């Protein structure tokens, strides 16, 4: 097959700018694999790219889609681990909203036992992000107090499970009683409805004034000074997105007095080597828990590829719990 169906961004804008199209199947390069896509995860960075606020890295596909599952259709020179017809899930530099996509072979992982291909499509962008930020950057340890904002999102539901299994005391914020209940079901000690309670006050009470050791935040904006106030001495704030804005006024004296660390990352611009290192850690430390059912992706809904605009519209209502996936 030389042609494939895709969904492309016709111009920057809302969900309606995602339109079906036909393109050439990409050629597989050195060290890469070509995947016949079964399903592709839908993520907030896809919406940012669609809106014109998150350009693909140099050399990456201009199509949205940062994770997928599928069957290997071809392997490039230098690839030794994978063979044609192997089933994989993979982190992508872009291009997932298509019937075929290429990605570095080292960014693919085997589909965990017991998971179907739709579930597998929901893993990589989320698990790479959570593991690298909560554990590699945030250095979360057993016995520490962890808070994730947006606990019912794909990132949040993953972070709750991984932090719980790591032995942390886990808390989350979410925007409805239903979402809070899901956070608790997944292992959170308490979920805070941010529409009704102040998470700073709640966490001060829950920790008897000691504060939080690690916060994973995707909100930003006015949450930033509140996060700093809520952190314990030696606490770590890990920022991964700015749904509420990327600027804030902050009294840095608090950072000094409490000896805080403020860090964060975005996954897509990182080097292939850095992403491969995360993949190796995930396969060793996290994939066995997925295979034995100890943890699992939380699935919200699926849409056909051609209805990607509807999937984005649903994601932007923020009414979903867990992951939205396109089925090719």
């Amino acid at each position: 097959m030389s042609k494939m169906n895709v969904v492309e961004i016709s111009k920057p804008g809302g969900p309606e700018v995602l339109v079906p199209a036909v393109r050439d199947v990409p050629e597989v390069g050195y060290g890469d694999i070509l995947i016949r896509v079964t399903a592709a995860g839908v993520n907030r960075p896809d919406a940012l790219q669609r809106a014109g606020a998150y350009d693909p890295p140099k050399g990456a596909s201009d199509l949205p889609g940062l994770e997928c599952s599928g069957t290997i259709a071809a392997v490039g020179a230098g690839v030794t681990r994978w063979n044609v017809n192997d089933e994989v899930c993979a982190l992508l530099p872009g291009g997932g909203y298509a019937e075929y996509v290429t990605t570095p072979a080292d960014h693919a992982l085997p589909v965990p036992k017991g998971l179907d291909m739709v579930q597998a499509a929901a893993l990589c962008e989320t698990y790479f992000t959570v593991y690298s930020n909560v554990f590699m950057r945030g250095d979360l340890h057993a016995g520490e107090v962890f808070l994730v904002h947006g606990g019912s999102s794909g990132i949040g539901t993953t972070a709750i499970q991984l932090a719980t299994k790591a032995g942390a005391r886990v808390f989350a914020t979410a925007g409805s009683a239903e979402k809070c209940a899901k956070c608790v079901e997944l292992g959170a000690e308490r979920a805070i409805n941010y529409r009704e309670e102040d998470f700073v006050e709640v966490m001060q009470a829950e920790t008897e004034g000691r504060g939080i050791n690690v916060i994973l935040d995707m909100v930003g904006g006015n949450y930033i000074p509140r996060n700093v106030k809520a952190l314990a001495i030696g606490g770590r704030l890990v920022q991964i997105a700015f749904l509420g804005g990327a600027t804030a006024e902050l009294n840095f004296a608090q950072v000094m007095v409490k000896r805080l660390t403020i860090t964060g990352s975005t996954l897509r611009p990182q080097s292939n080597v850095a992403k491969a290192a995360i993949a190796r850690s995930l396969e060793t430390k996290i994939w066995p828990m997925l295979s034995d059912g100890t943890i699992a992706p939380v699935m919200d809904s699926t849409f056909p590829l051609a209805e990607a605009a509807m999937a984005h519209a649903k994601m932007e209502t923020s009414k979903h719990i867990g992951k939205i996936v396109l089925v090719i």
Side-chain angles (χ1 to χ4, degrees):
M1 181 181 288
S2 61
K3 298 291 184 179
M4 64 176 182
N5 293 308
V6 307
V7 166
E8 64 185 14
I9 301 168
S10 59
K11 60 183 178 181
E16 71 281 354
V17 306
L18 294 172
V19 295
V22 176
R23 291 196 180 183
D24 292 334
V25 172
E27 295 184 3
V28 61
Y30 183 90
D32 289 348
I33 54 175
L34 176 69
I35 301 172
R36 183 183 301 108
V37 180
T38 301
V42 176
N43 294 285
R44 291 281 180 181
D46 302 342
L48 289 175
Q49 180 179 336
R50 186 207 71 221
Y54 192 36
D55 293 334
K58 185 178 180 180
S61 171
D62 65 317
L63 299 175
L66 300 177
E67 61 183 350
C68 78
S69 65
T71 305
I72 294 179
V75 296
V79 176
T80 57
R81 175 174 184 180
W82 305 110
N83 297 297
V84 172
N85 293 325
D86 284 347
E87 292 185 340
V88 295
C89 50
L91 186 73
L92 309 173
Y97 290 18
E99 291 181 309
Y100 290 86
V101 67
T102 58
T103 198
D106 289 342
H107 298 176
L109 290 159
V111 174
K113 296 176 183 177
L115 267 60
D116 62 35
M117 295 295 271
V118 173
Q119 292 172 302
L123 295 177
C124 286
E125 171 71 11
T126 302
Y127 276 77
F128 274 68
T129 298
V130 170
Y131 184 80
S132 63
N133 283 286
V134 173
F135 298 98
M136 298 172 73
R137 301 195 71 80
D139 196 29
L140 181 68
H141 286 85
E144 291 192 312
V145 177
F146 172 70
L147 172 68
V148 58
H149 292 300
S152 63
S153 66
I155 291 289
T157 55
T158 300
I160 289 168
Q161 292 180 78
L162 294 188
T164 299
K165 299 310 176 187
R169 291 185 64 197
V170 178
F171 298 84
T173 62
S176 72
E178 179 188 11
K179 290 181 176 182
C180 286
K182 186 63 178 180
C183 293
V184 173
E185 177 188 328
L186 291 169
E189 186 172 322
R190 178 170 175 185
I192 304 157
N193 187 334
Y194 62 79
R195 302 182 192 280
E196 300 175 354
E197 297 181 287
D198 179 359
F199 74 85
V200 178
E201 293 179 0
V202 171
M203 292 309 300
Q204 284 292 303
E206 291 287 346
T207 62
E208 298 179 337
R210 292 185 297 274
I212 308 161
N213 301 109
V214 179
I215 298 175
L216 182 66
D217 183 31
M218 60 193 83
V219 180
N222 65 9
Y223 270 43
I224 295 173
R226 295 167 68 195
N227 286 332
V228 166
K229 184 177 181 180
L231 282 168
I233 292 173
R236 290 86 75 194
L237 170 60
V238 187
Q239 202 74 42
I240 58 168
F242 296 102
L243 298 177
T247 60
E249 184 173 324
L250 180 63
N251 179 357
F252 271 86
Q254 298 175 71
V255 177
M256 296 167 63
V257 170
K258 293 203 281 185
R259 303 186 295 281
L260 305 179
T261 297
I262 300 176
T263 185
S265 72
T266 53
L267 183 60
R268 196 176 191 185
Q270 294 186 47
S271 71
N272 287 345
V273 172
K275 294 174 187 175
I278 299 170
R280 288 193 297 270
S281 292
L282 284 172
E283 187 168 5
T284 300
K285 299 175 181 178
I286 305 301
W287 253 231
M289 290 193 287
L290 287 164
S291 292
D292 67 16
T294 301
I295 57 175
V298 175
M299 310 302 293
D300 181 89
S301 52
T302 62
F303 292 81
L305 175 63
E307 296 179 8
M310 294 178 62
H312 274 227
K314 179 168 187 177
M315 180 175 63
E316 293 188 334
T317 67
S318 292
K319 293 180 180 179
H320 63 292
I321 295 177
K323 294 284 291 196
I324 300 170
V325 171
L326 300 176
V327 178
I328 285 62

